[in-house]
Amino acid sequence: MWFIKLIGKLKFTGFVCFFIFVIFFFGPLLNLLLLAFSGEWQYPDRLPSEWSLTWWTFVLQNDAIISSIWLSFLIATIVTLISLLICIPAAYAFARIQFPLRRFFLFSFLLTNAFPKMGLYVSIAVLFYQLNLMNTFVGIVLIHLINTLMYMTWIPSAAFENVHRSQEESARDVGASPLKVFWHITLPMAKPGIIVASVFTFLSSLNEAEGTFLVGIPDYRTMPVIMYSIIADYPSTAGSVFSVILTLPTILLLVAARKFVGAESFANGFKLK
Amino acid sequence: MSIQLSVEGLSKIYQTGEGVRDISIEVAKGELVTLLGPSGCGKTTVLRSVGGFVDPSEGIIRIGDRDVTNVVPEKRPSAMVFQSYNLWPHMTVYDNLAFSLKLKKKKKSFITERVDWALNLVHLTGSEKKYPSELSGGQQQRIALARALLLEPEVLLLDEPFSALDAKLRHELREELREIQAEQNLTMLFVTHDQEEALSISDRIVVMNRGKIEQVAQPYEIYHKPASLFVAQFIGRMNFIKGYAQPDGIRIDQLIFPNERGLIGEVAVGIRPEDVKLSEGKPSIEAKVAKIMMLGHYVEVTLHTIFGQLKMFIDKNEINTVELGRIVHVTLTRIQSFQDSNENYLERNEAYATI
Ligand SMILES: Nc1ncnc2c1ncn2[C@@H]1O[C@H](COP(=O)(O)OP(=O)(O)OP(=O)(O)O)[C@@H](O)[C@H]1O
Ligand SMILES: [Mg+2]
């Protein structure tokens, strides 16, 4: 009997945890959504007393904002493509070649995320001044790449490691050249991991603000950069409208990716060795 | 018979200093030769050298009349089945099997026909649409075998293909493999560390130890005439006791055996349990019955003698002739003595009791 009780207890705790998670995760989102469509909302009312789309029209008719959305997506796409080109070969090398510095290299990717970002960006900015990369498109892409290299190397590398050597060798054995083996066997088997990494890369680039602000101002203003000024200059409703727009692609992409690769592979992408 | 695979003076030394040295093997067309030896003795290294996955440090490998020593795996007329992880999980069974034919740009109707043929051969007709994860371990290995057969290899290489399976399945697949091999007249090099498996399916066995060949012979000969102490220890059950070799014979307690090879001094004497016989006759060894185990059609009796433990096999009908704790007399009908020369015990003397 005691174990039934235990399972019941575990289930209950699980449920409570899930509930807390839902509140913490969806609560602010819901609040944001309500705020975005509200005209007037005063404390202590539970719901807005008046609904309106004023700030939606404001945001969607503002040229600077619209162009920032395009710019953000353009940058995110380019950054994702470039990271794929750079990191897939690197990830494969990390997974297959047992060179001694392997752990150190993987760790160094983590390190870039361990330091305070602003410090890193400022020192990079100094370098960019000398190279005339400040206020350029290339400069922004470069600064985004610093963040994305980690996902793009580490996650696919774990995926490549799950492809066994004998699976590649079998393919050689039946007559495939090394290139064909990579194309027909290794890459498709690592595909879920690569998709997961690409989604993360795309989103991280889409949401990057600090570095973009530092390097891109004044000519290149992406969504998150614009958002700072909107939050500073307009009522909170404008900010929440913009947040919804900013959050939307994240949710859409995650849902799409989940359909594509399945939750299991999502978790596997994190099975780091 | 024509030689289909020949390995000449093959050496492969890894950076660690381990590897194989001076391996020479010839396999005739339609022959099944097994590489047998303990873990780490270099069986896989030899097999992978033949398949093209290991670059030999020295030596020549020929398949048919062709020197393939420097040919890449995809161009070698060999096919390999690995211990596990043979199949590609993102492809169906059909695609796994068809992959090689698609690479060769064969017609679709031809491919379907061949895949059918291969699946029929391994008794898995109708599983084309399944994914490898939907197959049992044994079925996966069968598909791997089918894929190898589709290559119509001049030499089929198998590296412990059944070792991850349970005993019953292993027996079944072993028999099936032997049938297919005979039917298709396949030339095969088979790796195993299971001596029973090797003895049961091989035309010839290559026994390896520490990167070297100890003996190459037919199963019967490997069992009855082991060329070295290692082979004697590794293959089948064997009692080992100490004996003393003198010019006039090899002495074990009261028993004296002919010493035709002229061994000298202390020797290791190996006796198969079936060569230990109960005897009332005079020169015999006194022994106490310590354990009696019924093992199906025969009985294993453990005896204590003054030179240690001795196992004896007797027929199940004779079980009443031994009794726990009683003193019996036994004699040895056949012994093999090994003299320690360079620690290898390669000097061998075979002797039969002259009763
Ligand atoms: N790639 C390698 N690098 C270094 N040493 C290796 C390598 N492959 C094998 N060895 C060493 O060479 C020796 C022979 O290995 P091999 O795999 O051929 O043995 P095996 O007989 O197949 O053993 P098992 O029955 O365990 O599969 C071992 O001592 C092993 O440690
Ligand atoms: Mg091996």
Side-chain angles (χ1 to χ4, degrees):
Chain A
M1 279 325 273
W2 60 270
F3 58 87
I4 292 180
K5 266 190 202 152
L6 185 70
I7 289 173
K9 224 181 223 166
L10 282 178
K11 264 195 184 149
F12 182 73
T13 344
F15 184 76
V16 169
C17 286
F18 180 70
F19 196 71
I20 292 175
F21 169 77
V22 166
I23 289 178
F24 267 84
F25 190 73
F26 289 106
L29 274 182
L30 195 66
N31 186 43
L32 201 69
L33 216 57
L34 288 178
L35 194 59
F37 290 100
S38 67
E40 207 181 310
W41 192 359
Q42 266 161 1
Y43 190 80
D45 292 352
R46 290 272 166 72
L47 285 173
S49 52
E50 204 178 297
W51 301 93
S52 120
L53 289 175
T54 328
W55 291 107
W56 282 92
T57 37
F58 166 76
V59 165
L60 291 177
Q61 280 175 358
N62 186 323
D63 282 345
I65 293 175
I66 298 296
S67 67
S68 84
I69 294 175
W70 285 122
L71 183 66
S72 278
F73 276 85
L74 181 67
I75 291 175
T77 310
I78 288 175
V79 165
T80 308
L81 289 179
I82 292 178
S83 333
L84 272 171
L85 277 180
I86 298 175
C87 295
I88 294 306
Y92 188 69
F94 277 130
R96 276 291 174 272
I97 305 158
Q98 292 288 337
F99 52 95
L101 289 178
R102 178 169 179 254
R103 294 251 147 218
F104 171 77
F105 268 112
L106 278 177
F107 188 63
S108 72
F109 284 122
L110 261 189
L111 272 186
T112 59
N113 279 35
F115 288 121
K117 273 286 158 55
M118 217 46 186
L120 190 66
Y121 290 151
V122 168
S123 53
I124 288 173
V126 172
L127 194 70
F128 276 14
Y129 265 119
Q130 287 162 359
L131 298 173
N132 278 329
L133 284 171
M134 289 307 267
N135 196 15
T136 61
F137 193 81
V138 178
I140 296 178
V141 169
L142 282 178
I143 212 136
H144 283 202
L145 282 176
I146 290 166
N147 291 318
T148 61
L149 288 184
M150 186 187 77
Y151 308 122
M152 264 311 198
T153 308
W154 207 326
I155 297 176
S157 178
F160 282 133
E161 267 181 43
N162 286 338
V163 181
H164 286 259
R165 202 175 60 158
S166 60
Q167 283 166 330
E168 291 183 331
E169 284 175 348
S170 298
R172 295 276 315 260
D173 199 51
V174 303
S177 62
L179 221 62
K180 280 192 174 144
V181 173
F182 187 75
W183 186 249
H184 291 291
I185 307 297
T186 317
L187 206 56
M189 279 180 71
K191 198 171 78 184
I194 294 172
I195 290 177
V196 170
S198 306
V199 169
F200 283 175
T201 297
F202 192 86
L203 293 179
S204 126
S205 167
L206 209 58
N207 293 325
E208 214 290 328
E210 297 168 327
T212 318
F213 182 77
L214 204 67
V215 175
I217 287 294
D219 289 351
Y220 295 92
R221 308 167 99 215
T222 60
M223 282 201 292
V225 172
I226 288 263
M227 189 157 110
Y228 276 126
S229 52
I230 288 183
I231 290 171
D233 299 344
Y234 295 94
S236 60
T237 321
S240 52
V241 166
F242 207 72
S243 305
V244 170
I245 293 176
L246 204 57
T247 320
L248 218 57
T250 308
I251 293 174
L252 284 181
L253 258 178
L254 282 177
V255 169
R258 253 211 63 164
K259 267 240 172 84
F260 210 18
V261 291
E264 199 185 327
S265 318
F266 243 97
N268 278 342
F270 289 107
K271 225 189 260 162
L272 304 176
K273 274 182 236 162
Chain B
M1 244 197 244
S2 64
I3 297 301
Q4 180 84 338
L5 166 68
S6 108
V7 178
E8 263 177 57
L10 172 79
S11 290
K12 170 70 192 179
I13 312 296
Y14 296 106
Q15 271 119 334
T16 51
E18 286 162 308
V20 298
R21 269 164 238 266
D22 198 21
I23 302 288
S24 296
I25 300 168
E26 287 193 336
V27 184
K29 192 158 174 38
E31 195 183 20
L32 196 167
V33 171
T34 301
L35 297 177
L36 175 65
S39 187
C41 71
K43 308 177 295 284
T44 299
T45 305
V46 173
L47 200 75
R48 289 170 62 81
S49 305
V50 177
F53 300 106
V54 163
D55 279 331
S57 322
E58 253 175 71
I60 297 170
I61 295 161
R62 280 197 197 87
I63 298 177
D65 297 327
R66 213 168 126 215
D67 181 346
V68 296
T69 316
N70 297 313
V71 176
V72 290
E74 57 265 35
K75 298 249 164 68
R76 287 199 192 197
S78 59
M80 187 138 170
V81 177
F82 297 86
Q83 184 174 352
S84 53
Y85 296 110
N86 279 290
L87 304 182
W88 306 305
H90 62 292
M91 293 186 188
T92 59
V93 166
Y94 178 87
D95 288 332
N96 266 279
L97 293 176
F99 188 59
S100 65
L101 299 169
K102 281 180 187 161
L103 285 173
K104 284 184 201 142
K105 307 237 172 351
K106 299 283 185 197
K107 267 205 238 114
K108 190 142 188 292
S109 57
F110 175 80
I111 295 179
T112 338
E113 196 180 302
R114 291 296 288 166
V115 169
D116 263 2
W117 168 83
L119 281 176
N120 182 34
L121 215 54
V122 296
H123 309 306
L124 278 174
T125 310
S127 57
E128 285 96 338
K129 293 213 176 71
K130 289 189 177 166
Y131 280 90
S133 58
E134 295 163 345
L135 300 174
S136 72
Q139 288 169 335
Q140 289 181 14
Q141 290 306 78
R142 283 183 192 178
I143 297 296
L145 180 63
R147 191 177 64 195
L149 292 174
L150 275 173
L151 297 173
E152 298 179 355
E154 286 177 37
V155 181
L156 181 57
L157 309 167
L158 298 105
D159 192 354
E160 311 201 24
F162 311 136
S163 66
L165 310 174
D166 67 63
K168 188 160 170 288
L169 198 57
R170 207 156 60 221
H171 275 96
E172 255 173 60
L173 284 180
R174 187 193 290 170
E175 263 171 46
E176 262 175 46
L177 180 69
R178 187 60 159 149
E179 272 165 30
I180 293 172
Q181 188 263 339
E183 208 178 287
Q184 307 285 322
N185 196 30
L186 292 169
T187 309
M188 263 173 60
L189 195 56
F190 184 95
V191 162
T192 180
H193 62 255
D194 179 348
Q195 41 133 336
E196 190 201 320
E197 188 162 87
L199 289 171
S200 65
I201 67 167
S202 316
D203 291 317
R204 278 187 306 143
I205 298 175
V206 177
V207 183
M208 291 182 63
N209 182 31
R210 295 211 213 137
K212 289 206 181 103
I213 293 182
E214 292 264 340
Q215 185 173 11
V216 183
Q218 292 173 355
Y220 178 87
E221 203 173 321
I222 295 268
Y223 187 82
H224 284 281
K225 300 184 179 202
S228 67
L229 183 64
F230 170 80
V231 179
Q233 282 169 336
F234 191 70
I235 307 286
R237 300 283 294 276
M238 186 80 105
N239 294 296
F240 283 99
I241 56 181
K242 253 188 230 160
Y244 294 94
Q246 290 159 345
D248 61 331
I250 294 170
R251 300 186 76 94
I252 303 163
D253 195 27
Q254 310 235 338
L255 307 176
I256 298 181
F257 291 87
N259 184 6
E260 277 156 13
R261 295 284 302 274
L263 305 186
I264 300 168
E266 198 176 297
V267 291
V269 177
I271 309 127
R272 295 274 180 217
E274 61 267 31
D275 294 331
V276 180
K277 293 271 159 64
L278 289 169
S279 138
E280 291 307 323
K282 227 328 158 151
S284 63
I285 303 168
E286 219 177 59
K288 189 175 159 194
V289 180
K291 209 193 290 172
I292 302 173
M293 268 205 292
M294 180 73 192
L295 293 176
H297 66 282
Y298 67 96
V299 181
E300 182 188 308
V301 182
T302 308
L303 303 167
H304 281 172
T305 69
I306 48 167
F307 34 73
Q309 216 177 27
L310 214 53
K311 301 245 182 203
M312 168 171 80
F313 291 163
I314 58 173
D315 197 79
K316 66 175 189 302
N317 299 321
E318 296 171 25
I319 193 162
N320 294 324
T321 59
V322 289
E323 199 177 313
L324 213 61
R326 286 282 280 278
I327 302 290
V328 294
H329 287 86
V330 294
T331 187
L332 313 173
T333 55
R334 187 165 170 276
I335 68 162
Q336 346 224 3
S337 312
F338 299 90
Q339 183 180 332
D340 180 1
S341 56
N342 332 319
E343 300 200 334
N344 278 329
Y345 290 91
L346 286 175
E347 279 305 316
R348 173 172 171 278
N349 183 77
E350 187 182 334
Y352 297 89
T354 43
I355 324 164

